[in-house]
Amino acid sequence: MRFILTFFIFFLSFLSFSQTQLTLQLVDEQNNAIEYANFRLFSPKDSSVVAGEYTDLMGKISIKGIAYGEYYAIITFFGFEDKVMNDLVFSADKRKLDLGTVTLNKLKSQEFDEVVVRGETKLMESSIDKRVYNVDEDMTSIGGGLTEVLNNIPSVEVDNDGNVSLRGSGSVTILIDGRQSALSSGDGALDGIPASAIERIELVTNPSAKYNPEGTAGIINIILKKKKLRGVNTNLQLTAASENLYSGSLGFNVRNEKINFFANYSYRYREGYRNNFNERTSTKGDSIEFLKQSRLGTDFRSSHTGNIGADFFIKSNQVIGVSVSGTYTDRIREGRQDNALTYNNQLFQSWDRIVYNPRNRNSIDFNANYKLDFKDENGNLIIAATQSMGQEDAVGEFEEYYYLPDGSPMSNNYRFQNQEQDNRNNKFTLSADLERAINDKLKYETGIQVIVNRQNESNYLEYYDTLTGTVIPDYNVNNELAFAENIFSAYGILGHSVTDKFKYQAGVRLEQALTEPRLLTTNETFNNDYFSFFPSVHLVYGDKDNGEIFANYSRRINRPSTRSLNPFPVYSDPLNLMRGNPDLEPEYINSFELGYEKMWKSASLTSTLYFKQTVDRIQRIRQFYDDGVSVTTFSNVDESYDYGVELIGTYSPFSWWRNMISVNAYESRLSANVDGTTLSNKGVSWDAKLNTTFSLFDNTTSIQINAQYIAPRYTVQGFYQRSPGIDVGFTRTLMNKNMVIGLRVSDIFDQKEFYFEVNDGTVLQETRYKWTTRRLYLTLSYKFGNLTTKDRELKQKIQDAEITD
């Protein structure tokens, strides 16, 4: 195997890929370099921004990866006349364009107040292998958290517990700045990241072999803001909302030619209610058993999130970066559940269950990376290391009081349970990625990755014994699970531009996984080592005039989590338990896509047909027992198929009005064998989202509306449905765009809830969750700084020169 991997990587090292490049240097009339000038490249067909960059300290820019075609450029800088450059053409015969030295002419002093520079970023942008969602353009997420941002993105859903799904599948890999992070795992982790800290979100539905293959639905990469302006810059945002929600964030950075230091901190405090209602009807011979449960309760969360780091520019082509990120989250759920059990419409007994469920989690990431840009400008080398550590502690205190049908207390009517859970994780990741373009037609990428993952999950339960009147441990539940996982992988990718219209990219990733779940309490070990290969292919044909046809394929994996492996139950509700399955196998998916993308002057359309075949699909299974207890566990579904179509369109009838609408529809076919019983189900699911934005009063005021609908999703035993709502946002910029006031209302009609139904032929269970969703938000953002620039006269006039990585 070592010989094969070595030979494979060595072979790819002789390959390369076409790469376009545009360069220039900007100076004033005295031949002084101009820094912070804004260069934007436009498509003449629809005047959309194709690429953009700001000049560096020497007044230079270098932009790579521009698609073949004809463009024009506009260069702007405060106090200077705009420079328009037409007839910029890239083709197979003209891949590098050096515009040389470009001179800007100063405006007369009386003209300074007339200078206005506008730049508009699209809410959603597409490339060959991903879609990019620009968070700053979404007003309906101001003052919110990451989960609210994700719910606005086409084909992405987040349920009431923060579980993310993409195109109906919950097997999604969440990355922070391109890396797996402890900040994105655990209860409430995603909601602890404020929307104000996010620059953009990247969706990769069919990742190339370069990416870790975890997550059968694809990858969601969250890019956090990182300031690049030289000088001292600070951003402050404060939010208050109805129902006692408060948040604040502070960002700070200092940058010069040698170092960029940055630090960010955010805090979120949220109160609300969390209710759920459950009805279960069981047929037992000639009798009908009916259980009705109603839980009313509160849900409190608070979180602290921060990061600090620096980039060291040791040479013009070498950068070393180090950073530390961390989060601390508290969550307390309290409530009372009323229970009533009847037989043939006659009340048998009732009981009250008082729940107190506090939990807290903390996590920290240490990151270090080194980037080398080769001096021939034909590639780079990136070496990165990440150490992630996290811990989550949860306590469940449950009291029960039982009553006879007439309402009088039963003898020994008091019950008590106390549960403590502790989860710890420790993951180290080391990777090296090499990219080289040796000639104008070929490109290769290759790299290696090592992941060392250790997790420990312990559970302790004690209960009140009615016979002895004492509290004793429950040895049937108390346990400790240790999970060890080592993954070694290597990949290689070849890209080729065959003609001006046709290009492809193909690669494969080879991986060896060594896993060992161990039940320390019972001294049981479940070994599951496996070797896997993950090919990927991406094809694109066409041009901007006639549109582009794209096709791609990838193979991916979903590995069982410790939660889905631990066989001991969780007792938040003794009649509705949850436990894992240590015999779970990883699931594999073969994913195919075929699509077409076309852009017009004021509209665009991206249409995608997709097909997914999942082998050994992991899905929740609910089992019902004669004693009235139901247990939700995890099982490998024999096989499943999803056929779907996704449409994403944008339309701007006027410069001040833009719209984005998306529709995703698919059919699921599932089958499984559970305890000797064959189960199967199928159904068509779909969802639609609308985002419409109005920009008024010289782009100083914006109004945005987000609306969506989600149809039922099918499981092997039933279906579930999340009812979304309508959000409205409003922003107003003041003080030369340094201050922004935002106002928004989430879920105006208070519609958001979650419902699921399970039916195994003899038992029908219906459950509904409702929580606080309608809130009024008021947000104030302010940015200020001390920019360093050679021209002191223009220092105060730089208002829009803020860019991010």
Side-chain angles (χ1 to χ4, degrees), residues 8 196 683:
F8 184 76
S196 60

Side-chain angles (χ1 to χ4, degrees), residues 276 278 280 291 293 337 339 351 353 355 398 400 417 419 570-578 629-630 765:
N276 67 278
N278 181 64
R280 188 171 71 204
L291 173 65
Q293 299 174 300
Q337 184 182 68
N339 305 266
W351 65 99
R353 183 173 175 84
V355 178
F398 312 102
E400 293 180 336
Q417 290 175 323
Q419 186 169 26
V570 177
Y571 271 84
S572 58
D573 182 348
L575 296 182
N576 295 281
L577 306 180
M578 177 174 289
V629 175
S630 72
Q765 182 160 334

Side-chain angles (χ1 to χ4, degrees), residues 147 159-162 187-188 191 242-246 268-276 295-302 329-336 355-360 769-773 775:
T147 55
D159 66 18
N160 59 306
D161 288 320
D187 182 37
D191 195 54
S242 58
E243 310 297 332
N244 291 328
L245 185 149
Y246 309 98
R268 280 175 60 82
Y269 175 97
R270 188 185 77 180
E271 296 180 5
Y273 68 83
R274 177 186 171 91
N275 304 330
N276 67 278
R295 181 188 183 279
L296 303 179
T298 59
D299 191 356
F300 159 81
R301 293 188 190 185
S302 69
T329 302
D330 270 325
R331 184 176 187 182
I332 300 176
R333 288 177 289 184
E334 297 182 85
R336 169 176 170 163
V355 178
Y356 176 68
N357 185 203
R359 62 178 59 198
N360 64 76
Y769 290 89
K770 186 71 181 80
W771 62 101
T772 306
T773 56
R775 298 181 191 265

Side-chain angles (χ1 to χ4, degrees), residues 90 123 192 263 401 411 430 432 446 469 478 486 538 674 682 689 720 735 774:
F90 291 92
L123 184 64
Y401 299 88
S411 60
L430 177 65
T446 186
N478 298 340
N486 300 320
H538 291 77
V674 180
K682 67 177 181 178
K689 296 186 179 182
Y720 61 92
M735 301 176 62
R774 181 165 58 187

Side-chain angles (χ1 to χ4, degrees), residues 44-48 122 598-604 651-652:
K45 300 178 180 61
D46 57 4
S47 297
S48 62
K122 295 181 180 180
K598 171 67 175 173
M599 299 185 66
W600 296 272
K601 184 175 181 179
S602 59
S604 69
Y651 178 55
S652 298

Side-chain angles (χ1 to χ4, degrees), residues 470-739:
T470 60
V471 176
I472 61 175
D474 188 340
Y475 295 106
N476 294 320
V477 176
N478 298 340
N479 70 96
E480 185 173 3
L481 172 70
F483 180 71
E485 180 180 60
N486 300 320
I487 300 175
F488 307 92
S489 59
Y491 72 89
I493 299 175
L494 166 67
H496 185 196
S497 287
V498 181
T499 67
D500 290 350
K501 291 186 175 182
F502 177 62
K503 56 185 176 181
Y504 70 84
Q505 176 183 279
V508 65
R509 187 181 189 97
L510 306 178
E511 179 183 277
Q512 177 65 56
L514 308 174
T515 66
E516 185 185 63
R518 291 185 296 133
L519 291 172
L520 303 183
T521 307
T522 58
N523 196 28
E524 295 179 83
T525 300
F526 304 85
N527 289 316
N528 187 12
D529 301 339
Y530 49 92
F531 174 81
S532 306
F533 68 97
F534 303 96
S536 67
V537 178
H538 291 77
L539 309 172
V540 177
Y541 178 81
D543 54 36
K544 297 297 182 181
D545 291 332
N546 301 307
E548 292 182 333
I549 299 173
F550 59 88
N552 50 65
Y553 161 78
S554 70
R555 185 173 190 255
R556 296 185 61 76
I557 189 174
N558 179 29
R559 312 179 212 276
S561 64
T562 54
R563 179 187 181 189
S564 60
L565 291 171
N566 195 338
F568 291 90
V570 177
Y571 271 84
S572 58
D573 182 348
L575 296 182
N576 295 281
L577 306 180
M578 177 174 289
R579 68 184 179 199
N581 176 7
D583 293 320
L584 275 181
E585 300 285 339
E587 66 178 18
Y588 292 89
I589 186 171
N590 294 300
S591 177
F592 301 83
E593 291 185 355
L594 176 64
Y596 174 75
E597 184 174 67
K598 171 67 175 173
M599 299 185 66
W600 296 272
K601 184 175 181 179
S602 59
S604 69
L605 175 66
T606 302
S607 56
T608 307
L609 297 173
Y610 60 89
F611 167 72
K612 297 180 181 179
Q613 177 203 25
T614 307
V615 180
D616 290 332
R617 180 171 179 171
I618 298 174
Q619 195 167 70
R620 292 183 179 183
I621 300 294
R622 179 157 293 191
Q623 299 167 313
F624 300 95
Y625 296 92
D626 293 338
D627 59 0
V629 175
S630 72
V631 177
T632 298
T633 186
F634 299 87
S635 177
N636 287 110
V637 173
D638 295 338
E639 199 168 30
S640 71
Y641 301 91
D642 295 322
Y643 312 79
V645 58
E646 182 182 61
L647 301 174
I648 301 176
T650 63
Y651 178 55
S652 298
F654 308 102
S655 60
W656 48 268
W657 184 20
R658 55 179 178 170
N659 301 273
M660 181 179 70
I661 187 170
S662 65
V663 178
N664 176 51
Y666 61 94
E667 180 185 49
S668 297
R669 299 190 178 190
L670 310 108
S671 62
N673 189 292
V674 180
D675 294 337
T677 301
T678 300
L679 303 174
S680 64
N681 198 9
K682 67 177 181 178
V684 176
S685 302
W686 66 282
D687 61 80
K689 296 186 179 182
L690 169 67
N691 178 292
T692 184
T693 304
F694 303 90
S695 299
L696 309 172
F697 308 115
D698 198 24
N699 288 328
T700 61
T701 303
S702 297
I703 301 173
Q704 188 176 90
I705 301 173
N706 265 345
Q708 56 182 304
Y709 173 79
I710 301 175
R713 302 285 191 255
Y714 293 89
T715 69
V716 75
Q717 289 181 299
F719 70 91
Y720 61 92
Q721 183 174 16
R722 187 176 66 86
S723 300
I726 298 176
D727 301 339
V728 177
F730 164 89
T731 59
R732 172 73 176 178
T733 60
L734 303 167
M735 301 176 62
N736 293 325
K737 298 185 179 180
N738 284 327
M739 178 180 288

Side-chain angles (χ1 to χ4, degrees), residues 448-492:
I448 59 175
Q449 185 181 64
V450 176
I451 299 175
V452 180
N453 183 23
R454 298 293 183 268
Q455 298 184 53
N456 188 281
E457 181 176 298
S458 63
N459 184 63
Y460 176 82
L461 178 71
E462 58 184 14
Y463 65 95
Y464 178 75
D465 185 12
T466 58
L467 297 179
T468 63
T470 60
V471 176
I472 61 175
D474 188 340
Y475 295 106
N476 294 320
V477 176
N478 298 340
N479 70 96
E480 185 173 3
L481 172 70
F483 180 71
E485 180 180 60
N486 300 320
I487 300 175
F488 307 92
S489 59
Y491 72 89

